[in-house]
Each structure stands twice: as C-alpha cells, then as structure tokens.
Amino acid sequence: MPRLNLFCLPYSGASAMVYSRWRRGLPDWLQVQPVELPGRGARLGEPLQTDMHALARQLAGELAPRLDQPYALFGHSLGALLAFEIAHALGDLASPPPLALLASGTAAPTRREEYEKDYSQPKTDEELIAELRDLQGTPEEVLDNEELMSLTLPVLRADFLMCGRYLYRPRPLLELPIHVLGGKEDRSSMEQLLAWQEETAVGFSLDMIAGGHFFIHEHESRVLKLIRNNLSVQLRRVQPCSAVGADA
C-alpha cells in the first residue's frame, strides 16, 4: 500500500500540533505531518518570522530532504498562503512537486484586497483579543487568562504582520492541482476563493463547508473526508495499481 505524507501548516497564532488529532480520523496510507513554525511548539526558542517569502524558503529547505515519497501540502488561513509559497520555493529547489495543494479558509494570493486590512502594522493586545473574539475560535476563558494570552499574543501579532505584509509575486503557474475549502460563514467571498484557480495549470476544485473561519474544527469529519477523497484520486494517478480507496 503506497503512503502519502500530508504536510500541514498552521493558522495564525497556532502550533502545527492542532493537526495531530487528524491522525485518528485519516487512514494509515495518509500520514499527517504537522509543520511547526519558528517561535512556537517544539521551536519555541527560535525567533518569530514576519516575512512570508523568507519563511517559505526556510521551510522548503527543511522539507526537501523528506520528500522521498508522494506528498501534499495543506494549510488553513495563514497556513494556506504559506503552503502556496512553499510549493513555489520547492520548485526553485528542483524538489519533487507535491501531488496537490489544499488551501483552506483564505482568499487567493491575488485577492487580498481589504482582507488583511490594517494588518501591516503591529496590533495592540486589545486589538488582537478583539480579533480573536470576532473569529470565534477561542474560548472566552482562554481570552481572559492573562498567562495564556502572554504566550499567544506575540505569536499572533507576528503572524498577522506576516499576512499584512505579504506581497504576491507573479510566477509560472503551479503544475499541480489546487483544492480549496471555504467556510460558508467565513469572511472570504466566493470570488476570492475561486481566484485560487488562477494559480494552477493543472486542476482546481472548491468545496464550501458550513461554519465560520474555524470550520476545519467545527466540521472536522467533513473536512477530513474531502481531504481523503481528493488525495486518494491524486495518489491513484501516480500509483495506478494501488488499492487506495476514497473512503478507506
């Protein structure tokens, strides 16, 4: 049975270990590989990054030696933009390309208008907490915990700056399919999500899921089924004799 590594990039303020529980909901052939960013989790001692292109190059260099079997990239929100940039950075390194890019919960790189409004300047603690409340992904007891917030807010501030200062660079289209997931009550418009198809020369799909910005947690089983089905199709294309099944 062939295996596929799914490298998962976190959203703003989060550790990549938010994806570790996905291992229980996905089949053995699909290996979840959380990609930790500097300044959090196991990389807590490393400086936070606010330059997405530089971070993508760094992470691509770290991933390149691990690409000895089929793989795909997944990212939610900030993680989707970062996964997109990593795909390009891996191409610059002449590494094997991912079988697919799964971009979740954010507008396409060319459609950031008003999306990261005022994110190019550092936000105060109060502004960051208000943003977390608006996104409805953080319990109120966590927002009221000063100790937890003292650890979270610097990471969130750096991540918001990374999004706000992101500049799109026109390059040749990616030679891999892009599968987009969007939340029906999230801030991304349909036009902003559909614009992801302008970044691929191969194939595109869009699935809308009930819920707001954190629909990947609110409707985890639905999200995992879509990931599993999309990637089983891609894996069968490179391993046509495999027994991988969409619902396996």
Side-chain angles (χ1 to χ4, degrees):
M1 175 76 73
R3 291 176 181 263
L4 184 151
N5 283 325
L6 179 61
F7 294 105
C8 298
L9 285 301
Y11 43 82
S12 294
S15 163
M17 295 314 292
V18 295
Y19 298 114
S20 60
R21 59 174 285 145
W22 283 12
R23 292 177 174 132
R24 299 194 298 270
L26 290 171
D28 290 342
W29 62 264
L30 186 47
Q31 302 287 300
V32 174
Q33 306 285 356
V35 179
E36 195 61 274
L37 307 188
R40 66 209 82 191
R43 306 182 71 161
L44 187 60
E46 300 178 37
L48 294 164
Q49 179 63 270
T50 58
D51 183 329
M52 191 173 304
H53 293 287
L55 180 57
R57 290 193 297 270
Q58 176 186 346
L59 294 174
E62 295 171 359
L63 288 176
R66 304 170 58 187
L67 306 181
D68 56 349
Q69 65 183 45
Y71 74 99
L73 299 173
F74 174 91
H76 181 74
S77 195
L78 161 69
L81 277 181
L82 188 52
F84 168 73
E85 289 298 332
I86 289 172
H88 277 291
L90 286 169
D92 294 339
L93 295 175
S95 295
L99 296 190
L101 168 64
L102 295 100
S104 172
T106 199
T110 55
R111 295 297 307 272
R112 312 302 293 179
E113 69 278 5
E114 297 299 314
Y115 199 83
E116 311 291 4
K117 187 178 181 180
D118 300 326
Y119 279 25
S120 62
Q121 298 299 320
K123 288 184 176 291
T124 66
D125 288 357
E126 291 73 21
E127 289 171 328
L128 290 172
I129 291 173
E131 184 78 18
L132 288 174
R133 281 199 173 96
D134 184 56
L135 291 172
Q136 300 179 348
T138 309
E140 197 65 31
E141 57 268 25
V142 173
L143 295 176
D144 291 336
N145 188 309
E146 292 185 8
E147 184 176 357
L148 285 176
M149 285 294 97
S150 69
L151 297 173
T152 301
L153 293 180
V155 176
L156 191 64
R157 183 175 291 110
D159 287 352
F160 279 7
L161 282 172
M162 185 158 30
C163 288
R165 295 174 178 176
Y166 172 74
L167 294 175
Y168 175 75
R169 297 176 180 176
R171 287 155 295 190
L173 299 180
L174 292 171
E175 296 288 339
L176 54 99
I178 297 178
H179 303 292
V180 175
L181 304 180
K184 292 181 179 178
E185 286 79 52
D186 199 3
R187 67 178 65 176
S188 301
S189 70
M190 185 65 70
E191 291 75 17
Q192 287 174 315
L193 295 173
L194 286 170
W196 276 103
Q197 65 189 309
E198 299 169 8
E199 304 302 325
T200 174
V202 178
F204 171 82
S205 68
L206 169 63
D207 288 287
M208 299 300 295
I209 300 168
H213 189 61
F214 291 103
F215 63 86
I216 62 168
H217 299 317
E218 297 168 20
H219 301 282
E220 182 178 284
S221 61
R222 168 70 172 155
V223 169
L224 295 185
K225 182 176 182 180
L226 287 169
I227 291 173
R228 185 171 67 241
N229 289 351
N230 278 320
L231 293 182
S232 68
V233 170
Q234 302 306 324
L235 190 55
R236 281 199 298 269
R237 286 176 177 168
V238 298
Q239 303 278 356
C241 295
S242 74
V244 171
D247 296 310

